[in-house]
Amino acid sequence: MKKILIIEDDKEISMLERDYLEISGFEVDIISDGSKAAAAALNGDYALILLDLMLPGVNGYDICREIRDQVEIPILMVTARLESVDKIRGLGLGADDYIAKPFDPAELVARIKSHLKRYERLTGAGKDSQEADAAILVEELKILPRSWKVYKSGEEVRFPNREFELLKYLATYPNIVFSKDQLFERIWGYEYVGDSATVTVHINRIREKIEEDPANPKIIETVWGAGYRLNK
């Protein structure tokens, strides 16, 4: 049974989320104090985290920043803040999705299941296979699609799932220019509530990890007026 961590200080909302998730076959833990949330997220064997932004003690942004590079599971932010800058900030910190309050609980469960399926498909979780990864090599990068790992000059670099999917997709089709809309459709899908600006946020985060000079990228190049291209 997959475990979900709910980090939410509104008792009614957390109970509603818990009830719908338990009915759907998930095990659920709830943390209401932001100052205790990071430790719980890092020490629990969770498949996904539902993270509220406005929390006592420590806000959701700081929690996401603290745990993102240490956990590879999906993080879904749940918040009443609807401004684009808040969404971009959350996605920039590595959140995988942004769910606005009030929400339809059935839709929330559907989004959670969608993220878990995507994560399993990406990582190959649950598959009994001895087949080795077919590595994708780009400059000093080694991308292992099945084990969801990236190495730069022999050292592993951690990527949240959306960043990894985006990097893997570009590396799978090198030297081809993709528009932001095309990348958004392929990585996030039509059901995702957002826009192509999300792509720019994630490209910038990827560049910070793989480029020698992120301000003058050589691997993932911006083709002005057209989109992005991974050079190989």
Side-chain angles (χ1 to χ4, degrees), residues 11 16 19 54 66 68 79 86-87 118 144 173:
K11 187 174 182 179
L16 179 66
D19 290 346
M54 306 305 293
E66 182 174 352
R68 177 70 281 178
T79 179
D86 294 314
K87 294 181 182 180
R118 182 186 292 269
L144 302 178
Y173 303 99

Side-chain angles (χ1 to χ4, degrees), residues 9 52 60 64 104 115 119 123 133 174 176 179 207 209 211 227 230-231:
D9 66 320
D52 184 35
C64 187
D104 180 342
H115 278 280
Y119 174 77
T123 61
D133 274 355
I176 297 175
S179 70
R207 284 171 169 166
K209 297 176 182 180
E211 300 280 1
L230 184 139
N231 296 315

Side-chain angles (χ1 to χ4, degrees), residues 134-139 141-145 149-150 163-176 178 183 187 203 206 210 219-220 228-232:
I136 302 173
L137 304 178
V138 182
E139 298 289 338
L141 296 179
K142 182 178 181 180
I143 303 168
L144 302 178
K149 292 184 177 181
V150 178
E163 290 178 27
F164 182 85
E165 277 193 275
L166 183 54
L167 174 61
K168 184 183 75 169
Y169 186 83
L170 289 169
T172 302
Y173 303 99
N175 307 316
I176 297 175
F178 293 97
L183 292 172
I187 305 302
I203 289 290
I206 293 171
I210 69 172
I219 299 175
I220 298 180
Y228 298 103
R229 175 179 59 215
L230 184 139
N231 296 315
K232 184 177 179 181

Side-chain angles (χ1 to χ4, degrees), residues 20-60:
Y20 270 80
L21 287 169
E22 288 182 345
I23 289 171
S24 299
F26 295 102
E27 183 180 345
V28 179
D29 290 336
I30 298 173
I31 295 290
S32 59
D33 187 342
S35 62
K36 300 177 181 179
L42 295 174
N43 295 323
D45 184 21
Y46 297 108
L48 181 144
I49 296 172
L50 282 178
L51 174 61
D52 184 35
L53 282 183
M54 306 305 293
L55 294 163
V58 180
N59 66 49

Side-chain angles (χ1 to χ4, degrees), residues 49-53 60-61 64 75-79 86 89-91 93 95-100:
I49 296 172
L50 282 178
L51 174 61
D52 184 35
L53 282 183
Y61 290 125
C64 187
I75 299 175
L76 278 61
M77 287 188 166
V78 183
T79 179
D86 294 314
R89 182 182 178 190
L91 295 169
L93 291 172
D96 296 282
D97 205 346
Y98 201 102
I99 300 170

Side-chain angles (χ1 to χ4, degrees), residues 128-229:
D128 183 14
S129 173
Q130 300 300 316
E131 189 175 318
D133 274 355
I136 302 173
L137 304 178
V138 182
E139 298 289 338
E140 297 180 347
L141 296 179
K142 182 178 181 180
I143 303 168
L144 302 178
R146 287 184 59 81
S147 59
W148 198 28
K149 292 184 177 181
V150 178
Y151 294 88
K152 180 181 179 181
S153 302
E155 295 188 7
E156 184 175 358
V157 182
R158 299 177 70 92
F159 282 82
N161 56 351
R162 295 290 192 184
E163 290 178 27
F164 182 85
E165 277 193 275
L166 183 54
L167 174 61
K168 184 183 75 169
Y169 186 83
L170 289 169
T172 302
Y173 303 99
N175 307 316
I176 297 175
V177 178
F178 293 97
S179 70
K180 289 191 291 185
D181 288 338
Q182 287 175 320
L183 292 172
F184 183 80
E185 176 189 337
R186 285 161 174 74
I187 305 302
W188 282 265
Y190 285 116
E191 78 280 1
Y192 184 83
V193 179
D195 55 42
S196 59
T198 301
V199 175
T200 302
V201 174
H202 283 72
I203 289 290
N204 288 339
R205 284 178 58 87
I206 293 171
R207 284 171 169 166
E208 289 173 1
K209 297 176 182 180
I210 69 172
E211 300 280 1
E212 292 301 321
D213 181 4
N216 296 285
K218 303 299 183 184
I219 299 175
I220 298 180
E221 182 182 358
T222 299
V223 180
W224 296 107
Y228 298 103
R229 175 179 59 215

